[in-house]
Amino acid sequence: MINRFAVRKTTKGYGVWDAAVNGWHSRQDLGQPEATELAATMNSGQSPQEAGATVSRKVNPARPVLVLVDGRWWPARLDWWVRESDGWYGRASLDATGATNWYPAASLRPGEASSA
């Protein structure tokens, strides 16, 4: 993932956002130069993918899947794939709670299409 870490402004200052996990990588009260340096350092440690290789793919429209959570398969909607150094991850929203998270491909399987 190119430029996985990005500087974002917050109400307290600046922070470094991690696009792979869709969450903060740092405190959000950093100064802009400090946050910029941290993001640049973190991005330089990421290995670039092969030229022309697909590293992410939007699923449009979102597809029904089953997600393995705590030993049980839960219905969800898959809307994005991303390839990291250790394999593919899918972003899915659980139907029961609406919670969205990234799951390894091994924890996902096709679900039945709903009539909705």
Side-chain angles (χ1 to χ4, degrees):
M1 179 178 273
I2 298 172
N3 292 329
R4 171 179 170 174
F5 301 96
V7 175
R8 289 198 177 170
K9 187 166 178 53
T10 71
T11 58
K12 300 176 187 175
Y14 292 85
V16 176
W17 184 262
D18 185 344
V21 298
N22 204 26
W24 291 105
H25 176 73
S26 71
R27 298 186 335 252
Q28 292 100 54
D29 61 350
L30 302 173
Q32 187 174 14
E34 184 180 6
T36 302
E37 182 178 346
L38 178 59
T41 301
M42 296 305 299
N43 281 323
S44 68
Q46 298 297 305
S47 60
Q49 301 289 336
E50 295 178 35
T54 302
V55 294
S56 70
R57 179 172 61 220
K58 184 169 181 62
V59 179
N60 192 9
R63 299 196 181 200
V65 294
L66 295 174
V67 179
L68 184 61
V69 179
D70 294 332
R72 183 173 167 204
W73 291 97
W74 295 87
R77 307 289 295 173
L78 176 75
D79 67 351
W80 203 276
W81 283 107
V82 65
R83 185 174 62 189
E84 291 292 334
S85 59
D86 60 342
W88 283 94
Y89 288 80
R91 185 175 72 178
S93 300
L94 297 176
D95 291 350
T97 64
T100 301
N101 206 345
W102 291 94
Y103 300 94
S107 296
L108 298 167
R109 69 180 184 193
E112 293 184 24
S114 66
S115 58

